[in-house]
Amino acid sequence: MNSEKYQELIDKHKPKERRAKNALIAFIVGGIMGIIGQFLIDAYSNLFSISNSDAAVFMIMTLVFIACLFTAFGFFDNWVAFAKCGLIIPITGFAHSMTSSGMEYRKEGPIYGVGSNVFKLAGSVIFYGVVSAWTFGMIRLLIMGG
Amino acid sequence: MTFKYKNVYVGETATFAGPYEAKGLLKRKFDRITNDLYVGEKSWEKAEIKLSKESINILLQKIGKQATDINLIIAGDLLNQLVSSSYAIKDFSFPFLGIYSACANIMEGVIIAASMIDGGKIDNAIITTSSHNLSSEKQFRNPTEYGAPRPSTATFTATGGASLYLTNDKTDIKVEASTIGKIVDLGINDPNNMGAAMAPAAADTIYRHLKDLNRGVSYYDLILTGDLGIYGKKILIDYMNQEYNIDIKNNYDDCGTMLYNFNNQKEVLAGGSGPVCSALVIYSSIFEKMKKKELKKILLVPTGALFSPTIIYQKENILGIAHAVSMEVVE
């Protein structure tokens, strides 16, 4: 049997992933995250009398802190596995990936463990974030003059 | 390559299973269980070493022998450079051979040991293997606290250590014949569907074994693969039919589907995997059935996926291997 024919055989036995259900859960959870974020921005800007953009920074810090803390408590991975992109795409996913990597490699010590592995999953996000920021910054500079 | 043995017997077995396995279908059959994934140690790797080491201790106790009475130990696991095996064995001062064929480790060990015992080079040997769900997650996938979504074809690495004592002293169960597997590559590169990567290797080994010994499927009361899982099992049945025109579905099962309770252990997805998966099932349940004469002739075909995360990222396929050992109840 060649590999094309074998692939057909495998596809026949492959269970269907529930994409619509996953997308719906991610949509709802992601939406709830958005509502929580907006609520925090409004609350911070009213409470401390600061601008919306300053309040947004505090909102991000709050969500990152909560995601890190819940990961450390050991139940956030179950939430992420359930909500999938609903919690991975928001800033909580980034915080979760860094905390989980940090926790995993602490046994190997602060340098060869945590230090060199904490960006194991998040490194790609940072790298391509910087690359795309630079690319689009250059495009904007060249076309719109800054 | 198929060999027959005249003088090799299964002495005793020892199993030490982790928390998920202790909640599974075979919970009462293990020699020892732990509810602590760390097994009292400080890291997943050290926990796996302890599982392996304790299984050897339990085995030595059961057979009533000292480490110095053992001629040879053959051990293998999944961790890089076989650290679980070598660190588990270091305090025993056994003559030691380390082997790797991933989840097919135990039968590679049995084939080597049985050949040496049958050839009169040694009188006895221990075959040990181990795996740990979280040390494997760490090495092959993501950090353990990272909640990466996984498809339902993915398997769940079993946690435990298991040892087997082979001897030339006659017992109830005889190692009758074996077939060494070949590497089979049918272009599968999805580490979340390893059952599909390994099924053709199992099929090839089973086919060659039956052909070399001129036997039919019905010669065996049970043909048992290692860790193909729910979907890999269906693939193997279908593949054997299409490729070799052999129907195995009446006396075939897979250890990966026998370890956990699928009704309330959803986290295991397609079933158990890891070198210790087939060892836990065979040592605790299958040998017991043989001793009760419920099963008389069985063919054990653990399956291994040979790859590393690095080579998969470099766009290579996952290779499959399976070694077959036939065991019989001594009449």
Side-chain angles (χ1 to χ4, degrees):
Chain A
M1 194 177 283
N2 59 25
S3 48
E4 284 82 25
K5 214 173 153 217
Y6 185 58
Q7 192 62 47
E8 281 172 28
L9 192 152
I10 292 171
D11 290 341
K12 199 176 96 188
H13 292 288
K14 211 171 198 168
K16 287 223 163 33
E17 296 297 329
R18 295 174 181 168
R19 290 186 189 203
K21 189 186 155 205
N22 291 345
L24 185 70
I25 292 172
F27 178 76
I28 292 169
V29 177
I32 292 170
M33 290 303 295
I35 294 170
I36 294 172
Q38 189 59 48
F39 170 78
L40 286 172
I41 292 176
D42 291 350
Y44 284 138
S45 67
N46 284 330
L47 224 64
F48 305 125
S49 306
I50 49 175
S51 69
N52 267 1
S53 56
D54 284 349
V57 176
F58 285 112
M59 176 274 288
I60 288 173
M61 284 164 62
T62 311
L63 291 184
V64 165
F65 175 76
I66 291 173
C68 293
L69 189 71
F70 286 4
T71 304
F73 284 155
F75 57 80
F76 200 64
D77 54 333
N78 299 334
W79 290 17
V80 173
F82 169 75
K84 302 188 175 73
C85 284
L87 286 175
I88 293 173
I89 303 294
I91 192 75
T92 45
F94 189 82
H96 176 54
S97 75
M98 286 189 64
T99 315
S100 57
S101 304
M103 286 166 72
E104 185 76 300
Y105 290 95
R106 82 194 150 92
K107 314 278 164 29
E108 286 83 359
I111 308 295
Y112 298 108
V114 176
S116 56
N117 286 295
V118 76
F119 290 107
K120 205 175 166 77
L121 300 165
S124 294
V125 182
I126 293 185
F127 177 74
Y128 289 103
V130 171
V131 169
S132 50
W134 186 87
T135 310
F136 288 108
M138 285 305 281
I139 292 171
R140 186 177 158 144
L141 178 73
L142 294 174
I143 294 175
M144 298 162 68
Chain B
M1 286 295 265
T2 297
F3 312 113
K4 288 187 98 171
Y5 305 109
K6 288 193 193 83
N7 201 23
V8 187
Y9 301 91
V10 171
E12 266 295 349
T13 62
T15 49
F16 187 7
Y20 293 104
E21 294 65 33
K23 285 183 202 132
L25 296 174
L26 305 175
K27 51 188 163 191
R28 285 191 192 84
K29 299 192 186 282
F30 302 122
D31 292 312
R32 199 169 144 196
I33 54 170
T34 174
N35 289 318
D36 174 17
L37 276 166
Y38 278 109
V39 207
E41 296 290 326
K42 288 214 156 55
S43 72
W44 309 129
E45 292 79 7
K46 289 179 186 174
E48 185 176 333
I49 291 166
K50 184 147 178 204
L51 288 166
S52 187
K53 187 175 175 176
E54 287 305 306
S55 82
I56 299 169
N57 273 325
I58 299 167
L59 186 69
L60 288 175
Q61 246 173 33
K62 277 175 112 174
I63 58 177
K65 284 192 190 294
Q66 304 289 321
T68 45
D69 302 329
I70 305 301
N71 295 159
L72 172 69
I73 186 161
I74 302 176
D77 57 85
L78 284 179
L79 294 189
N80 291 337
Q81 287 80 38
L82 297 184
V83 286
S84 322
S85 298
S86 24
Y87 283 79
I89 287 159
K90 78 179 166 85
D91 294 329
F92 289 103
S93 80
F94 292 131
F96 164 54
L97 289 176
I99 53 165
Y100 188 82
S101 48
C103 312
N105 276 345
I106 52 167
M107 288 310 147
E108 179 177 349
V110 168
I111 292 171
I112 297 169
S115 304
M116 290 177 78
I117 293 172
D118 207 46
K121 304 283 182 222
I122 54 174
D123 292 328
N124 59 38
I126 291 178
I127 291 97
T128 294
T129 195
S130 62
S131 53
H132 191 297
N133 181 271
L134 297 174
S135 65
S136 295
E137 286 293 315
K138 182 176 174 181
Q139 179 175 300
F140 288 97
R141 298 177 196 105
N142 289 310
T144 47
E145 285 300 327
Y146 187 67
R150 300 179 69 201
S152 40
T153 50
T155 48
F156 186 87
T157 309
T159 304
S163 295
L164 166 73
Y165 178 65
L166 288 186
T167 168
N168 55 10
D169 288 333
K170 199 171 175 187
T171 68
D172 296 343
I173 302 170
K174 181 184 176 198
V175 181
E176 192 260 338
S178 72
T179 302
I180 297 178
K182 291 180 183 172
I183 289 180
V184 178
D185 172 14
L186 276 184
I188 304 301
N189 53 14
D190 177 7
N192 282 318
N193 195 0
M194 291 203 287
M198 300 185 290
D204 177 74
T205 306
I206 295 170
Y207 170 72
R208 285 190 298 113
H209 178 84
L210 297 175
K211 197 174 128 220
D212 287 350
L213 295 175
N214 203 13
R215 289 173 182 170
V217 176
S218 57
Y219 178 88
Y220 291 104
D221 299 327
L222 179 67
I223 295 174
L224 196 63
T225 51
D227 52 356
L228 299 182
I230 303 172
Y231 306 105
K233 192 173 153 181
K234 290 181 188 164
I235 292 170
L236 179 65
I237 293 172
D238 211 355
Y239 184 85
M240 287 293 287
N241 254 324
Q242 290 191 24
E243 186 74 5
Y244 303 115
N245 204 15
I246 294 177
D247 185 9
I248 55 168
K249 70 172 180 293
N250 293 327
N251 46 356
Y252 162 64
D253 213 335
D254 180 70
C255 295
T257 63
M258 300 162 79
L259 187 58
Y260 299 108
N261 186 346
F262 287 109
N263 293 327
N264 54 22
Q265 291 185 295
K266 298 287 180 207
E267 66 273 25
V268 306
L269 298 165
S273 65
V276 90
C277 172
S278 46
L280 288 178
V281 173
I282 293 166
Y283 300 171
S284 65
S285 149
I286 302 298
F287 284 165
E288 192 187 87
K289 283 184 185 159
M290 289 181 85
K291 281 175 189 160
K292 287 184 193 159
K293 310 253 160 107
E294 289 167 26
L295 292 171
K296 287 188 175 163
K297 290 176 177 158
I298 59 166
L299 185 65
L300 305 170
V301 196
T303 40
L306 306 177
F307 74 105
S308 77
T310 307
I311 207 80
I312 295 298
Y313 294 142
Q314 294 174 9
K315 309 279 181 226
E316 287 292 337
N317 296 329
I318 297 174
L319 310 178
I321 188 143
H323 303 296
V325 171
S326 150
M327 296 198 186
E328 288 184 5
V329 171
V330 178
E331 296 294 341

